[in-house]
Amino acid sequence: MERCGGVYALCGYIDRATLEPRIDRKFEVALPFSEGLAAVRSEGKFGYINSSGDMMIAPMFDLARAFRKGHAEVVAGDKTGIIDRTGKLVLPPNYARAIPFAADAALVRPGKAIVPESFGFPRFMIGELLFERDDPRYLLVDLLSGKILKDELAIKEFDFGTFVWAAQPGDKRYGLLAPDGTWKIEPRFETVGKLHGGRAIVCYGGPAGHKGQASQRGRADTVQCGVIDRDGQTILAPQQFRIHGYRNGFYRVTEDQKAGLLDEAGRLLGGRLFDDARLPNYSGEVAKILVDGQWIGLNRAGDLVPNPEDGKALVACPSGIKFMHSGNRIQVVGADEKPTVSYLFDDTHMTCEFPVSVRYNGKWGFLKEDGKLLVDPPSFQSQFGFSGGYAGVKVDGKWGILDSSGVLTLAPQFDEMQRDSSAYAVSKDARKFWIDPSGREVAEPRRLEDRQSKLRCEPDGGQRVSGNSKGTLLWGIADAAGNIVVEPKYRAITCFRDGLAWVPFDERREWCAIDRNERKRENVACVKNWPDSNVADARTETMSDDPYESGVLWMRAELEYGLDLREKPPRFVSQF
């Protein structure tokens, strides 16, 4: 399987079982193997390697997908086609999409291909139809003759090696279409699921149903769901419920905000629906249901049994302390398997970093390494966990500081409190200031760890480094050992991703991608404001009327904050 990293964020492959390196990190992008070949990007183009790392199909494509039944979809320029295992085009690049369907057919969509985003990151890599919008229409084409077998099809994934969900023009119902253009299942389902674990969920009826359903099924808003297998054969006959998932012989179903479980035969286990229901784990024999606020078990026979998680360790610590499931709560036991305290705590996040926060009946406390309470009983309204031997605690609406021996070193007196680096940001009498654990007022922290993180790349990716040129800071990149790999000569620079870093070009007034040899990547579109373009739910604060200059100044401010040359980091402005 693929693994990426290093200063240039290059990719190679490791053994899935041993995690030992198999193919060196030398590709900008590495996709999973399929049918013995894997698509990789080298110097901006995709080709295919074998399991030894040898390039079997030379890099010549702008995007590439996995092989299926001997064929793969590739993009050349702004058009998509299909190649065989030798790299020969069996379907010329004339389409927006060209999806191999079984061994001798394809589903194609006219138009321009999905091309890399402006940042140079390859798009269609995950789901076949992940980026499709507006219900585009496809043609079913025979690869050998080029003949169009069906046109104007709306499609959804099933298994492109056998069948595909398809709806005909003017019909919102889906059927299971074979590669030769015949129907394995005639269109009749309003909602259809992707094949997963050899099963696909299908439903008909409901508000989106077609005319005439009311007379067929009594009410126009009735929904019935069933399950089919890879060959389109019925596994579970249509039921009155919505089916949401399957695992190890159980189906989870819902109706009218209630949930339940069906067995393989479609029998409603327990004879009714519950407040909630959860499937068992992948090897489990017992599912869980919520009854009167308590989770209990439900077995294959439909009998109520103990919660299958009861008695299992949620966390086991080196000291011998274990946090055990007990109903909806957590029991703490020692190395002798006996409870260390009489309380059953709320099910919150537990760790072995003692003192650890626990909650009982809405009140907070802390457990020591021996499993005993630091302060008994739990009595704090709120808290934030221990760090450096101290924790913030709230008592009667005010915040104070507790030490690791259970002593309030600073009596509760602050309206607000928040840990801030090595100090605490507090407010009292409408004044905001910083204190140390003893309560002594201190200067605002420099937040060195936060600052340094602005310069770091990935864990083994080195960091951005600066140099001074005639009184101006310029930026480059050093590897994890501190060796300079990109000389500090740019007004700003990003870390490498997929073999590319982004730098501002003043002569173009644009940010452009460079490769590890500092060559501008010509087939990747430049952008006006890289920091602003790279944030999904916020905008960077404006630092200049010129979008290009604003982005450069914003990133320079972030880098200067990392060097401790600026008091505050540059801001993001929410779009909501």
Side-chain angles (χ1 to χ4, degrees):
M1 59 185 181
E2 61 277 7
R3 279 293 183 270
C4 308
V7 65
Y8 300 116
L10 296 177
C11 303
Y13 292 84
I14 62 174
D15 185 279
R16 189 178 298 276
T18 66
L19 305 185
E20 292 295 319
R22 291 282 297 275
I23 299 174
D24 291 341
R25 290 176 175 176
K26 54 186 177 182
F27 306 110
E28 295 171 348
V29 175
L31 303 187
F33 272 85
S34 61
E35 299 185 3
L37 297 174
V40 295
R41 193 177 80 190
S42 178
E43 303 300 322
K45 295 291 185 180
F46 277 90
Y48 290 84
I49 61 171
N50 63 15
S51 58
S52 297
D54 302 320
M55 192 68 72
M56 305 304 292
I57 299 175
M60 66 182 84
F61 307 110
D62 293 299
L63 283 175
R65 290 196 71 97
F67 271 90
R68 183 192 301 111
K69 303 292 185 180
H71 295 131
E73 181 181 15
V74 294
V75 173
D78 62 358
K79 296 288 186 178
T80 297
I82 292 176
I83 60 171
D84 64 16
R85 290 178 58 83
T86 70
K88 176 185 175 183
L89 280 164
V90 295
L91 187 70
N94 293 322
Y95 306 96
R97 291 298 308 272
I99 302 172
F101 186 15
D104 52 9
L107 289 155
V108 301
R109 177 162 62 83
K112 291 186 177 181
I114 297 174
V115 296
E117 294 182 354
S118 58
F119 306 127
F121 307 148
R123 287 188 67 177
F124 63 57
M125 288 168 52
I126 305 171
E128 291 282 0
L129 306 175
L130 183 63
F131 295 100
E132 300 286 15
R133 296 185 179 96
D134 303 323
D135 197 20
R137 297 291 161 160
Y138 282 78
L139 311 175
L140 175 61
V141 176
D142 180 82
L143 279 179
L144 297 178
S145 66
K147 179 182 177 182
I148 297 176
L149 304 177
K150 282 190 181 297
D151 61 7
E152 289 295 304
L153 294 170
I155 67 169
K156 293 183 183 296
E157 284 189 62
F158 179 73
D159 179 354
F160 287 105
T162 54
F163 305 105
V164 67
W165 290 118
Q168 300 178 105
D171 194 345
K172 294 185 178 181
R173 298 170 301 166
Y174 285 85
L176 209 53
L177 183 69
D180 63 1
T182 61
W183 294 101
K184 176 67 175 180
I185 297 178
E186 291 287 334
R188 65 174 182 266
F189 301 113
E190 275 76 28
T191 59
V192 290
K194 184 178 178 180
L195 189 72
H196 181 72
R199 299 163 188 262
I201 297 170
V202 294
C203 300
Y204 58 80
H210 57 282
K211 294 180 180 179
Q213 283 184 334
S215 61
Q216 294 176 36
R217 286 185 283 277
R219 294 202 331 261
D221 61 351
T222 299
V223 173
Q224 292 195 333
C225 297
V227 179
I228 66 170
D229 66 13
R230 182 184 300 275
D231 296 319
Q233 301 298 314
T234 298
I235 295 178
L236 183 66
Q239 306 287 315
Q240 70 187 63
F241 311 107
R242 285 197 177 275
I243 302 176
H244 296 277
Y246 169 85
R247 189 180 300 149
N248 201 26
F250 294 82
Y251 293 97
R252 182 178 182 271
V253 299
T254 61
E255 183 182 47
D256 296 332
Q257 298 184 329
K258 294 285 187 177
L261 297 146
L262 305 181
D263 64 11
E264 296 271 22
R267 184 171 63 102
L268 183 62
L269 298 179
R272 67 184 182 95
L273 299 175
F274 304 93
D275 296 326
D276 200 356
R278 294 181 184 173
L279 296 168
N281 60 34
Y282 286 97
S283 60
E285 295 293 313
V286 178
K288 292 198 307 180
I289 54 173
L290 185 63
V291 180
D292 297 329
Q294 296 291 318
W295 287 101
I296 58 177
L298 188 68
N299 66 17
R300 295 184 186 278
D303 301 322
L304 300 182
V305 296
N307 186 333
E309 294 181 349
D310 280 357
K312 292 184 178 179
L314 177 66
V315 178
C317 300
S319 63
I321 295 297
K322 295 179 183 178
F323 300 104
M324 313 290 292
H325 282 286
S326 180
N328 288 352
R329 297 184 177 274
I330 294 174
Q331 185 174 64
V332 184
V333 301
D336 59 0
E337 302 296 329
K338 294 181 180 179
T340 59
V341 289
S342 60
Y343 306 103
L344 293 178
F345 298 108
D346 296 344
D347 191 355
T348 58
H349 178 64
M350 311 300 293
T351 74
C352 295
E353 297 178 8
F354 297 96
V356 61
S357 306
V358 292
R359 188 175 65 196
Y360 175 73
N361 284 350
K363 296 289 186 179
W364 289 92
F366 301 92
L367 282 178
K368 299 180 292 183
E369 197 163 2
D370 61 2
K372 302 292 186 181
L373 281 163
L374 195 61
V375 177
D376 193 353
S379 54
F380 303 113
Q381 290 174 295
S382 189
Q383 54 79 39
F384 47 85
F386 272 86
S387 177
Y390 298 92
V393 293
K394 190 175 186 180
V395 180
D396 295 331
K398 299 292 184 180
W399 285 90
I401 294 179
L402 186 77
D403 70 13
S404 56
S405 67
V407 174
L408 278 167
T409 60
L410 189 61
Q413 58 191 279
F414 301 104
D415 301 317
E416 295 178 354
M417 175 181 283
Q418 184 178 359
R419 185 179 294 116
D420 188 351
S421 192
S422 59
Y424 296 88
V426 297
S427 67
K428 184 178 182 180
D429 299 331
R431 188 171 77 93
K432 295 184 178 181
F433 53 101
W434 284 263
I435 61 171
D436 65 13
S438 69
R440 182 172 61 91
E441 190 168 337
V442 296
E444 182 176 351
R446 301 303 299 170
R447 306 179 185 94
L448 294 180
E449 177 60 28
D450 177 56
R451 291 175 178 274
Q452 293 167 2
S453 70
K454 302 297 184 183
L455 304 180
R456 284 195 296 267
C457 297
E458 295 299 321
D460 60 349
Q463 66 176 1
R464 293 179 284 182
V465 293
S466 64
N468 195 307
S469 175
K470 299 179 181 180
T472 300
L473 277 180
L474 299 179
W475 291 90
I477 293 178
D479 64 19
N483 302 308
I484 301 294
V485 297
V486 176
E487 291 290 337
K489 59 184 179 183
Y490 299 99
R491 291 179 64 204
I493 192 169
T494 71
C495 294
F496 277 91
R497 176 175 171 179
D498 294 334
L500 301 177
W502 287 77
V503 296
F505 284 82
D506 283 343
E507 63 275 16
R508 296 176 58 110
R509 310 298 291 173
E510 288 183 317
W511 292 74
C512 299
I514 59 171
D515 63 17
R516 57 188 181 276
N517 296 311
E518 296 186 60
R519 295 175 302 202
K520 178 180 170 298
R521 184 57 57 81
E522 295 298 335
N523 64 343
V524 178
C526 298
V527 296
K528 281 293 181 186
N529 185 330
W530 193 89
D532 214 19
S533 304
N534 203 39
V535 179
D537 57 355
R539 310 291 287 181
T540 54
E541 65 175 302
T542 299
M543 294 190 163
S544 169
D545 292 337
D546 175 19
Y548 166 76
E549 191 65 21
S550 184
V552 175
L553 293 175
W554 190 94
M555 184 170 285
R556 286 181 64 81
E558 182 177 63
L559 295 171
E560 289 165 6
Y561 176 76
L563 286 181
D564 200 12
L565 300 177
R566 179 183 167 99
E567 286 295 320
K568 302 283 186 181
R571 296 182 299 111
F572 290 101
V573 180
S574 174
Q575 295 190 68
F576 301 104

